[in-house]
Amino acid sequence: MAHVLPAEDYGNVREAIPTGDRLAYAFPGQVRIDLGTREITIDLGEAEPCARISVGRTPTDRLKRLSDIVLVAATAVLWLPLLAVLAVAVKCTSRGPVFYAQTRLGRGGRTFRCLKLRTMSAEADVHLERMLSGDDALRSEFENTCKLRFDPRVTRFGRALRRTGLDELPQLLAVVRGEMSLVGPRPIVARETSYYGPYLPLMQSVRPGLTGLWQVSGRNDVSYEARVAYDVQYVLTRTLWYDVKLIAKTLLLEFQPARRGSY
């Protein structure tokens, strides 16, 4: 299946693609870039290698890292008090720890502990296998999307946090540590690597992000195949200006929770 995704007004796509001989990957499947229409077609099927794309650390990446630190530090006076208030609310509305930590894969496949405000009942991971073992439809949904749209484990306050994306606020600490960036592909767990196939090294050539192209393009309302395509598209066309636009879109979606695709 091929996904054709508009590159919008990134500027010249050719200039946006990192070049050089730092890290080169050859992909089966197809990654076609039309510089006239600024569209990228990503074929997730199997085919002979047809694209060789160089990726790696660039001066832009170093500037992106610096901008991450500056933005997070400059806004700390806003998000730190908000995080404290939300943490108290989580503690007061349900039993269990305030934070939920999960091992995720970052740049280069390195693992890190990804923090979220807890949105589920205590021992949710234990309950998940019990739920899936007794319901084939739920298991199929979880295997296809790694999510459940109507998850009974989510608390009432947790559902509000998910709809607004505020449960991910603690990940700003991972941005400070250099494990994540403000913008990039979402960090995945080990079981999700198979979805990316030959595109996994490309996706893991950048830091995972707090927000990104997939997050503002429907998020959980789109298929996982489309998510892979969005992640690949972002890595191939990333620029600092486009990061600014994605952050702006993310902030606008805070006031349109029905369009976030978060649940």
Side-chain angles (χ1 to χ4, degrees):
M1 178 181 295
H3 295 273
V4 181
L5 305 173
E8 297 182 343
D9 53 344
Y10 302 150
N12 190 303
V13 177
R14 189 190 304 276
E15 294 177 357
I17 299 175
T19 58
D21 56 2
R22 290 170 295 278
L23 294 171
Y25 302 107
F27 304 104
Q30 297 182 8
V31 179
R32 298 188 297 275
I33 302 176
D34 187 328
L35 294 178
T37 61
R38 295 180 182 174
E39 288 185 338
I40 297 176
T41 303
I42 300 173
D43 188 344
L44 298 179
E46 294 184 359
E48 294 299 319
C50 64
R52 189 171 182 84
I53 301 165
S54 296
V55 296
R57 301 188 181 188
T58 67
T60 300
D61 291 331
R62 290 188 283 273
L63 185 57
K64 176 183 172 73
R65 173 64 183 148
L66 177 61
S67 65
D68 281 345
I69 295 174
V70 170
L71 283 173
V72 172
T75 58
V77 68
L78 300 175
W79 63 265
L80 277 175
L82 177 58
L83 178 58
V85 171
L86 294 176
V88 172
V90 170
K91 192 65 176 178
C92 293
T93 54
S94 62
R95 298 176 58 185
V98 169
F99 299 104
Y100 173 74
Q102 188 177 46
T103 299
R104 300 282 181 118
L105 302 179
R107 189 173 195 171
R110 291 184 291 273
T111 60
F112 69 98
R113 297 292 282 172
C114 185
L115 283 181
K116 290 186 177 184
L117 288 168
R118 182 177 56 81
T119 59
M120 293 186 176
S121 57
E123 299 183 349
D125 290 338
V126 176
H127 297 322
L128 175 63
E129 188 55 39
R130 187 182 309 149
M131 289 166 47
L132 299 183
S133 63
D135 192 318
D136 292 339
L138 281 181
R139 179 171 289 278
S140 177
E141 178 185 353
F142 188 79
E143 290 176 350
N144 288 332
T145 64
C146 293
K147 288 276 188 177
L148 296 176
R149 179 175 290 273
F150 302 105
D151 196 328
R153 300 172 300 158
V154 179
T155 65
R156 182 176 299 180
F157 185 65
R159 195 167 301 280
L161 287 175
R162 288 187 170 204
R163 283 178 61 83
T164 58
L166 291 175
D167 60 317
E168 296 172 353
L169 205 56
Q171 290 167 27
L172 287 170
L173 300 175
V175 175
V176 173
R177 294 193 299 267
E179 297 163 339
M180 293 181 64
S181 177
L182 288 176
V183 182
R186 281 297 296 163
I188 62 174
V189 297
R191 67 171 179 272
E192 294 175 274
T193 56
S194 61
Y195 290 97
Y196 286 83
Y199 301 103
L200 182 65
L202 179 66
M203 192 272 288
Q204 292 185 337
S205 68
V206 300
R207 288 185 180 89
L210 192 62
T211 189
L213 182 56
W214 168 71
Q215 292 89 319
V216 301
S217 302
R219 203 176 177 105
N220 297 314
D221 289 338
V222 302
S223 68
Y224 213 112
E225 281 189 340
R227 172 178 175 172
V228 172
Y230 282 126
D231 284 346
V232 171
Q233 180 185 4
Y234 171 77
V235 175
L236 293 179
T237 60
R238 68 192 189 278
T239 65
L240 284 178
W241 173 239
Y242 190 53
D243 281 1
V244 172
K245 292 176 63 177
L246 289 176
I247 291 173
K249 286 185 178 181
T250 301
L251 295 175
L252 287 175
L253 286 175
E254 289 296 319
F255 302 98
Q256 305 174 68
R259 295 181 55 193
R260 281 183 53 85
S262 301
Y263 50 82

